[in-house]
Amino acid sequence: MGPRSPVTTGKVELEDVQGIVRSGYGTLPEAVFLILTIADPASAKAWLASAPVTNAAFQKQIPSALHVALTSGGLRRIGLSEEALASFPAEFKSGMSGDESRTRRLGDLGPSAPQSWTWGGPENAPVDVVAMLYAEAGALVDWRRLVETPSFFAGFHLVRELRTGLMDGREPFGFADGLSQPSIDWIRDTRSQENDEYHYRDRIAAGEMVLGYTNEYGLVTDRPFVPEQADPHGVLRAFVGDDRRDLGANGSYLVIRQLEQDVTGFWQFLESVGGSRQAAEQLAEKMVGRARSGTPLAAVESKASTVHEPSNDFDFDGDPDGITCPLGAHIRRANPRNADIPGGTQSRLSGLLRQLGLPRPLPRTDVIASARFHRILRRGRKYDPSQETGDMSGGLYFVCLNANIARQFEFIQNAWLESSKFGGLSSESDPIVGSRVPLLDGSRTDSFTCQTNGAPNRIESLPSFVTVRGGAYFFLPGLRALQYLAALP
Ligand code: HEM
């Protein structure tokens, strides 16, 4: 049996999973992410062995939390063997900025090119480790003092200190954020593993976020391992049926991107196009797909105005032509909320027509892959401009978790957000985060269309409002795996 074979049944081992997979710590308003390189591997490992990393088994509100994750460079630096490193996926090994074709696919071009990043670029400020600290109001300084022991200072060099802004549930453009999240089947109730091909649902298998469990394909996602002899004390769980040890079990992959937002430029542009503040507000809502308050445009329409609050209980089946929520709106691109056979509840018909070899009623939807294989858990926090850190504009530290970076984060970023072919649209990319850089053949990607019952309202020459300033891919080990790494010779 290979690494795809199931190893556990029963509930997810929450005590071995880092708590950030279970919670975004909305009740801990202060946070700082320390971007580090390893200065002295022995001291770094001594710190890792004793760091008070928070697990996911908490029952009630906790006053503080700490999470630790490593890049492939960081794993190599603390002595993980090349054989073990080779078992990690290609995108993790090369890193977010490590290969030109990936850079293009992610849209990290022009002003967002990794060469100008302040951290995580290929030549500038590489990253080994991130330590993420969260605390109750006023408690972060003390928490940090506790975490930063002498072995921390001896082990690491601080590359960047990512200070997050006040948590108020709004991203810098002013929209309610962090609303839609997949709901994870922690208890691994078999019902949720039955694949419903016809309806979109929010519940996803634990293996979509945590390594070592069954995913939405009914398989265990590939995960890193070490040979049995490299784990003489049996710290790691064994694979079923062979002699490898599971380094990935209860771990996840963490993506961090520093996304600077041009808030002034955003609102100035929309006012110049709309002609008034009110028109600018309406256009911004269309671009996001939700009102500022979080009310989804699609839900208000489909539930006959009964929904006036942030909600996730909606899909786009009732709005196939994008009249209520534009086809290219950020939330519609980031999660099209479709089922396995495109077209949502119309899919039975669509599936039947396909079987009969007849043309489908909505060929547009066929280019959108099933949403349940491309979900991410978002854990982002905003940041403010600061003279001290050199960030002249604020923005979002986009943070997400997933079990397969290529199939989840990179797919969303590339095939849905950056793609100028999404949903039958052309010459446009995501109106919020799109890079707007022309394609290799020179085609433009800087329009945004609001579909209407008459002629579509098309906005041309949309500037780019978001610039990438840094980023990296990390492995977020389970707690046993962290102890294993801390004890590497
Ligand atoms: C500065 C950049 C960004 C801003 C301002 C932004 C803003 C927002 C807002 C306002 C929402 C709606 C509220 C919510 O459901 O939380 C949202 C949803 C979402 N965003 Fe972004 N976002 C940004 C970047 C990204 C990136 C880079 C990705 C992924 C690669 C992403 C993926 C998502 C997803 C998956 C949703 C939920 C969609 C749904 O399930 O309805 N966002 N974003």
Side-chain angles (χ1 to χ4, degrees):
M1 282 204 248
R4 284 168 160 270
S5 54
V7 285
T8 53
T9 50
K11 294 178 189 173
V12 173
E13 296 169 321
L14 289 178
E15 60 295 335
D16 194 42
V17 176
Q18 294 203 38
I20 190 175
V21 185
R22 191 161 156 224
S23 169
Y25 302 120
T27 54
L28 303 179
E30 296 195 354
V32 66
F33 307 150
L34 306 176
I35 301 292
L36 308 163
T37 49
I38 295 171
D40 171 42
S43 307
K45 281 185 279 187
W47 181 78
L48 286 177
S50 60
V53 175
T54 312
N55 70 30
F58 37 78
Q59 298 295 336
K60 51 183 186 351
Q61 199 173 314
I62 50 173
S64 55
L66 169 70
H67 296 295
V68 181
L70 299 93
T71 62
S72 55
L75 290 172
R76 181 171 281 122
R77 188 104 174 91
I78 58 164
L80 189 66
S81 70
E82 288 303 318
E83 185 182 358
L85 273 166
S87 68
F88 279 87
E91 66 278 8
F92 173 75
K93 282 183 284 193
S94 93
M96 189 184 281
S97 63
D99 126 36
E100 264 181 49
S101 80
R102 166 157 298 103
T103 294
R104 173 156 273 281
R105 275 181 279 132
L106 296 179
D108 295 345
L109 302 163
S112 292
Q115 285 70 23
S116 26
W117 290 3
T118 58
W119 60 277
E123 290 109 34
N124 42 334
V127 180
D128 289 336
V129 172
V130 62
M132 308 169 86
L133 286 79
Y134 299 81
E136 283 175 341
L140 189 63
V141 174
D142 287 343
W143 179 228
R144 194 166 166 181
R145 218 171 275 143
L146 258 165
V147 167
E148 291 181 333
T149 57
S151 58
F152 178 91
F153 288 116
F156 300 105
H157 165 70
L158 182 64
V159 177
R160 281 275 280 170
E161 185 175 318
L162 308 182
R163 294 184 202 167
T164 65
L166 220 74
M167 273 278 280
D168 60 0
R170 300 265 167 153
E171 53 73 40
F173 293 141
F175 284 80
D177 197 10
L179 300 174
S180 170
Q181 300 280 16
S183 115
I184 298 175
D185 177 18
W186 291 112
I187 54 167
R188 307 184 68 220
D189 170 348
T190 46
R191 271 179 305 129
S192 74
Q193 289 166 24
E194 288 165 13
N195 298 339
D196 176 355
E197 292 186 341
Y198 298 107
H199 295 100
Y200 168 78
R201 64 195 156 83
D202 233 2
R203 196 157 191 228
I204 56 163
E208 289 296 306
M209 298 299 155
V210 192
L211 298 172
Y213 299 92
T214 322
N215 61 22
E216 284 290 330
Y217 292 94
L219 297 166
V220 180
T221 311
D222 284 340
R223 59 202 183 282
F225 55 84
V226 300
E228 190 181 25
Q229 62 275 22
D231 182 23
H233 306 295
V235 177
L236 301 174
R237 200 161 72 184
F239 270 66
V240 171
D242 68 33
D243 57 3
R244 287 170 300 172
R245 299 284 166 164
D246 198 336
L247 182 62
N250 293 318
S252 187
Y253 291 101
L254 175 77
V255 175
I256 305 186
R257 271 159 90 74
Q258 180 173 351
L259 303 178
E260 183 180 286
Q261 291 176 247
D262 180 5
V263 177
T264 313
F266 179 80
W267 287 110
Q268 269 173 0
F269 177 80
L270 296 190
E271 276 194 46
S272 74
V273 170
S276 69
R277 182 70 193 188
Q278 199 192 356
E281 291 277 345
Q282 280 168 358
L283 186 52
E285 290 181 354
K286 289 273 187 186
M287 287 162 70
V288 172
R290 287 184 184 258
R292 264 185 194 251
S293 61
T295 306
L297 304 186
V300 172
E301 183 70 9
S302 65
K303 302 263 158 83
S305 304
T306 52
V307 180
H308 288 295
E309 54 192 33
S311 159
N312 279 317
D313 183 18
F314 67 97
D315 57 36
F316 302 109
D317 283 356
D319 183 29
D321 299 318
I323 311 293
T324 314
C325 178
L327 299 172
H330 177 65
I331 69 158
R332 201 161 174 166
R333 280 180 175 263
N335 180 9
R337 296 178 186 245
N338 63 338
D340 278 6
I341 296 176
T345 48
Q346 296 159 11
S347 2
R348 284 173 201 278
L349 172 63
S350 173
L352 186 66
L353 290 175
R354 192 199 309 262
Q355 277 170 20
L356 296 173
L358 297 170
R360 291 168 297 282
L362 289 170
R364 170 173 46 70
T365 53
D366 279 2
V367 297
I368 302 175
S370 171
R372 69 192 168 99
F373 304 115
H374 311 287
R375 301 299 308 273
I376 49 176
L377 269 178
R378 289 175 301 139
R379 297 287 184 244
R381 295 224 168 182
K382 70 174 169 184
Y383 67 95
D384 301 319
S386 149
Q387 295 266 335
E388 214 179 318
T389 58
D391 291 313
M392 293 315 165
S393 305
L396 194 72
Y397 294 129
F398 172 84
V399 177
C400 83
L401 292 157
N402 46 194
N404 184 325
I405 299 176
R407 170 165 68 81
Q408 295 169 275
F409 164 71
E410 286 192 347
F411 185 94
I412 297 175
Q413 176 72 27
N414 166 249
W416 286 347
L417 299 182
E418 266 295 296
S419 171
S420 63
K421 299 277 181 290
F422 178 87
L425 301 166
S426 63
S427 316
E428 47 188 280
S429 57
D430 185 274
I432 303 294
V433 296
S435 70
R436 322 264 190 264
V437 172
L439 304 182
L440 284 172
D441 66 3
S443 328
R444 299 183 69 148
T445 65
D446 59 354
S447 331
F448 174 62
T449 313
C450 290
Q451 292 77 23
T452 71
N453 283 315
N457 178 11
R458 194 168 165 101
I459 295 151
E460 306 286 355
S461 304
L462 206 66
S464 153
F465 304 117
V466 170
T467 309
V468 187
R469 292 291 182 214
Y473 292 153
F474 299 90
F475 170 52
L476 181 90
L479 298 205
R480 262 198 311 260
L482 198 59
Q483 284 314 311
Y484 173 82
L485 294 171
L488 279 173

